[in-house]
Amino acid sequence: MARVIRGRAWVLGDNISTDHIISGKYKFAKINRLEDMLPYVFEEVIPEFYKKVQPGDVIVAGRGFGYGSSREHAPRLLKLAGVGAVLAKSFHRIFYRNSINIGLPVVIVHRIPEVTEQGDEIEVDLEAGVVRNVTKGVEERFQPPPQQLLEILEAGGIVEYIKKMNQLPW
Amino acid sequence: MTEKLFEDKLGRVPERGEIVVVPIDLVYAHDGTFTLAFDVMKETPLLSRVFDPKRVALFIDHAAPAPTVAAALVHRAMRRFAREYGVRLFDVGTGISHQVVADEGLVKPGMFVVGADSHTVTGGAFAAFATGVGSTDAAIAMATGKLWMRVPEQVRLKLSGEAPGYIMGKDIVLTIIGMVRSDGMIYKAVEFQGEGLKTISMDSRMTISNMAVEMGAKVGLFPSDDVTREWYRVNHGTEVPVLEPDAGAEYDEELELELPRLEPVVAAPPNVDNVKPVRELEGLEVDQVFIGSCTNGRYEDYVAAARILKGRRVRDGVRCIAVPASRRVYERLLRNGIVDILVEAGCFVAFGTCGPCIGAHLGLLGEGEVAVSTTNRNFTGRMGHKESKVYLASPATAAAAAVTGRITDPREILPADARLMVVDPSYSFKP
């Protein structure tokens, strides 16, 4: 993962659940292989998202992103589809934790979701703690993640981090 | 109380917001989340082990028995894993994990429990710090017996007075979610307290803790009180300690719910916090009723349904699907003649699976169909077609809809003296 993520915005509202990201009815039909679930990502929100999304694109959402099920398939599939980061006003805790564990940057911001429109160019600098909507010329600062979390994200997730360090974090 | 649970594990009182590493007493996963956890363990030599087989459990409950070859392959891998590592596997028909950990006495007051399922919070009913995690965290906990946690802010939710007899745990928790909204308790520990607790059964407490995650909470904690201790005596023949908050415990937020003011409610689609009194939606036509899941698949839930279905029929054109949450629950219902009541009323009665709740199998919804369901989520397309609708309700409200074919206030059918929460764990329903 690059420390600066650049891509187009996919704008979503409040309460986007992990069911919206990957619905149970598709997940359980393909439960033995994550890759087989890819065509169903956001099936009922943004049909064919997996074809439309480009590497580095950023999801910009409202409150309570990642609501519901603990299914880690949700952040894993977003990452697999090419999503570079998720920005939202707030995240549900299991999704937030899962995202860091699997190396998908998640950032809490408040102003950016208010001003961003579909397709705007977004830049996220994790280390500096800045999100820019380049199209609108709006910048918002956030508390950058602590060094160890940055290292986990940079390694591509906690499993890659453990392998790289060749020791458990505790 | 949250503070006391952490103190007991760490030997000191941690600060709110502090990141701590806690030993885990029980960790579990199921057929919906196992594969990713297993992948993590396989590809990471440091994690290719189980810290203590007695503290790790696997459940085949989400799509059970296997409705697809894909599910069958996952189940097969789980059985192999269980044999290889010597961990307990609860196979097809045993029931839904959160119910089975209670049935088997695997969860106890004071424990730290993590499960690769968001409804692991159900264990909060037993004064356990029980919370949901993803597959990677579950794999790390299975391998190391430890996990980092952020010590949550603590909220006291005082339940005052006594609930009317027609109120169930589901009405209580839906009312709370309507109050605080679906993101109102993100990352917080919600502690249920107050004199109202003594009238709230363990089955209803499990429903309330179960849905704590629908308000964003990390845990929904009940104390271990007389109700809890009697439940362990009757069900497991064991004594468990009293675990209650100290009189001067400090909270970050305090809320109160007056139980006598409650009335039956539903959560209308597409969000769990879209809570309305049943009477406001009366008359809406229903295609399917589902009574079951980790939220409402317990003994008390089917006693409530039986009070409404006994001597009546499920209305023509309505499917009523009843899936007791575990074999243990099923056996008790058989002994009390409740399965007969359900079957004679025209219900489809199946063995413990999460199936319909998550749209996996056993009753998906078609385009434009409406369900009244005792489950926990009503998101767009959750139980089937994206143009179907799910109304979440108590088992009494669901059974009333099955009989009339419309959303119906259960008070119109229930006897005036009905008490739906069954506090006495030795209670036996007489048909």
Side-chain angles (χ1 to χ4, degrees):
Chain A
M1 182 212 77
R3 286 199 173 186
V4 179
I5 299 138
R6 277 188 202 88
R8 301 170 307 160
W10 290 87
V11 176
L12 295 167
D14 295 337
N15 298 320
I16 296 296
S17 70
T18 52
D19 269 85
H20 289 107
I21 301 171
I22 178 68
S23 169
K25 58 187 174 283
Y26 305 126
K27 180 193 152 192
F28 280 93
K30 307 285 179 190
I31 189 65
N32 61 329
R33 257 177 66 89
L34 184 73
E35 294 77 4
D36 294 348
M37 300 174 197
L38 196 56
Y40 305 103
V41 172
F42 281 133
E43 169 74 11
E44 284 153 11
V45 186
I46 313 168
E48 306 215 301
F49 177 75
Y50 75 110
K51 285 187 188 165
K52 297 172 183 163
V53 67
Q54 290 170 16
D57 280 0
V58 173
I59 289 172
V60 182
R63 287 165 30 178
F65 192 88
Y67 188 29
S69 161
S70 71
R71 60 190 69 159
E72 198 172 288
H73 311 74
R76 280 185 187 270
L77 285 165
L78 293 182
K79 189 180 166 189
L80 196 63
V83 170
V86 183
L87 315 179
K89 291 184 185 172
S90 64
F91 289 92
H92 279 270
R93 56 164 286 275
I94 305 177
F95 180 88
Y96 189 81
R97 202 178 156 118
N98 285 346
S99 298
I100 292 165
N101 275 343
I102 63 102
L104 175 69
V106 274
V107 178
I108 298 169
V109 282
H110 301 282
R111 177 124 195 270
I112 293 288
E114 297 286 337
V115 302
T116 300
E117 289 177 280
Q118 180 67 29
D120 282 0
E121 192 187 338
I122 304 287
E123 194 176 278
V124 185
D125 187 334
L126 282 179
E127 200 171 4
V130 185
V131 176
R132 289 183 196 91
N133 180 324
V134 179
T135 311
K136 298 280 189 305
V138 175
E139 185 176 295
E140 180 172 354
R141 301 202 148 262
F142 62 91
Q143 179 76 36
Q147 191 56 31
Q148 197 179 9
L149 279 194
L150 268 179
E151 285 170 18
I152 289 171
L153 286 170
E154 208 169 11
I158 195 156
V159 166
E160 287 71 17
Y161 179 78
I162 290 170
K163 283 188 204 159
K164 194 172 124 193
M165 306 299 278
N166 201 29
Q167 62 175 35
L168 295 170
W170 48 76
Chain B
M1 207 175 118
T2 300
E3 217 160 55
K4 284 171 89 166
L5 297 181
F6 274 99
E7 185 184 2
D8 185 47
K9 291 290 176 201
L10 302 172
R12 66 182 175 88
V13 180
E15 300 284 325
R16 309 280 211 271
E18 189 181 337
I19 305 285
V20 294
V21 175
V22 279
I24 302 297
D25 298 295
L26 175 67
V27 50
Y28 58 92
H30 56 63
D31 49 326
T33 54
F34 166 81
T35 306
L36 294 182
F38 187 38
D39 287 348
V40 165
M41 295 175 96
K42 271 190 306 199
E43 68 181 62
T44 320
L46 280 167
L47 298 175
S48 298
R49 61 193 175 101
V50 162
F51 84 107
D52 179 355
K54 289 189 296 300
R55 294 178 180 278
V56 175
L58 298 180
F59 296 86
I60 297 180
D61 63 3
H62 266 57
T68 59
V69 173
L73 291 172
V74 172
H75 297 176
R76 181 166 159 268
M78 290 175 79
R79 293 184 189 107
R80 283 189 176 177
F81 179 92
R83 271 198 302 276
E84 191 177 331
Y85 289 90
V87 305
R88 287 187 77 174
L89 172 87
F90 295 91
D91 213 318
V92 172
T94 317
I96 301 172
S97 61
H98 316 303
Q99 182 63 34
V100 176
V101 296
D103 287 353
E104 297 288 324
L106 294 176
V107 58
K108 290 206 180 90
M111 279 186 165
F112 273 71
V113 178
V114 295
D117 188 283
S118 61
H119 293 109
T120 304
V121 284
T122 312
F126 301 95
F129 195 94
T131 194
V133 295
S135 298
T136 298
D137 273 332
I140 293 172
M142 283 183 190
T144 67
K146 287 180 267 184
L147 211 57
W148 71 264
M149 285 193 188
R150 181 181 166 280
V151 179
E153 283 75 34
Q154 289 144 47
V155 179
R156 187 210 312 258
L157 208 160
K158 192 176 159 207
L159 302 172
S160 57
E162 194 173 321
Y166 47 79
I167 288 299
M168 305 189 72
K170 187 60 159 289
D171 298 304
I172 297 174
V173 73
L174 286 179
T175 303
I176 295 169
I177 296 167
M179 258 163 62
V180 305
R181 310 309 302 267
S182 64
D183 59 350
M185 292 291 143
I186 286 182
Y187 246 108
K188 296 171 186 172
V190 178
E191 299 188 11
F192 302 101
Q193 297 179 20
E195 80 270 26
L197 292 194
K198 60 179 182 293
T199 62
I200 301 178
S201 63
M202 289 312 294
D203 281 2
S204 271
R205 291 182 186 195
M206 289 174 78
T207 303
I208 295 168
S209 289
N210 173 277
M211 290 195 75
V213 70
E214 312 310 332
M215 47 186 117
K218 182 169 191 162
V219 65
L221 268 180
F222 280 84
S224 168
D225 60 8
D226 289 343
V227 176
T228 324
R229 301 177 79 213
E230 184 62 12
W231 186 92
Y232 275 97
R233 278 184 210 113
V234 169
N235 285 285
H236 299 297
T238 54
E239 287 295 322
V240 296
V242 173
L243 248 175
E244 284 173 335
D246 294 330
E250 283 180 27
Y251 289 90
D252 301 285
E253 202 176 327
E254 305 212 18
L255 299 164
E256 183 172 352
L257 182 70
E258 293 175 51
L259 297 177
R261 296 164 67 101
L262 294 186
E263 63 173 312
V265 290
V266 296
N271 280 306
V272 185
D273 59 9
N274 192 17
V275 177
K276 303 171 190 299
V278 173
R279 58 184 163 76
E280 282 184 18
L281 289 159
E282 269 200 307
L284 186 82
E285 284 193 39
V286 171
D287 300 288
Q288 181 166 303
V289 169
F290 175 48
I291 306 173
S293 84
C294 60
T295 306
N296 280 124
R298 282 175 271 285
Y299 180 73
E300 171 183 286
D301 299 323
Y302 296 102
V303 171
R307 286 189 198 284
I308 287 172
L309 290 166
K310 187 173 182 295
R312 296 189 178 87
R313 293 280 307 168
V314 173
R315 194 175 171 88
D316 276 350
V318 177
R319 295 98 62 185
C320 183
I321 298 165
V323 186
S326 71
R327 180 177 284 125
R328 195 73 68 88
V329 170
Y330 204 111
E331 286 168 352
R332 195 170 167 201
L333 298 177
L334 277 173
R335 280 199 300 275
N336 286 187
I338 294 172
V339 173
D340 298 76
I341 292 171
L342 297 173
V343 170
E344 283 162 18
C347 298
F348 171 95
V349 185
F351 247 63
T353 175
C354 309
C357 170
I358 47 173
H361 68 141
L362 272 188
L364 274 70
L365 301 171
E367 184 174 2
E369 289 193 321
V370 171
V372 174
S373 178
T374 66
T375 53
N376 42 57
R377 290 177 181 142
N378 56 0
F379 308 147
T380 303
R382 167 87 173 176
M383 291 178 72
H385 195 277
K386 67 177 173 182
E387 300 296 337
S388 61
K389 288 190 162 63
V390 179
Y391 291 80
L392 306 176
S394 78
T397 302
V403 166
T404 64
R406 297 166 185 275
I407 289 185
T408 301
D409 192 319
R411 287 174 288 189
E412 290 168 22
I413 301 177
L414 285 166
D417 62 348
R419 288 210 65 81
L420 300 182
M421 286 196 279
V422 181
V423 176
D424 175 8
S426 309
Y427 173 83
S428 187
F429 178 74
K430 305 272 186 308

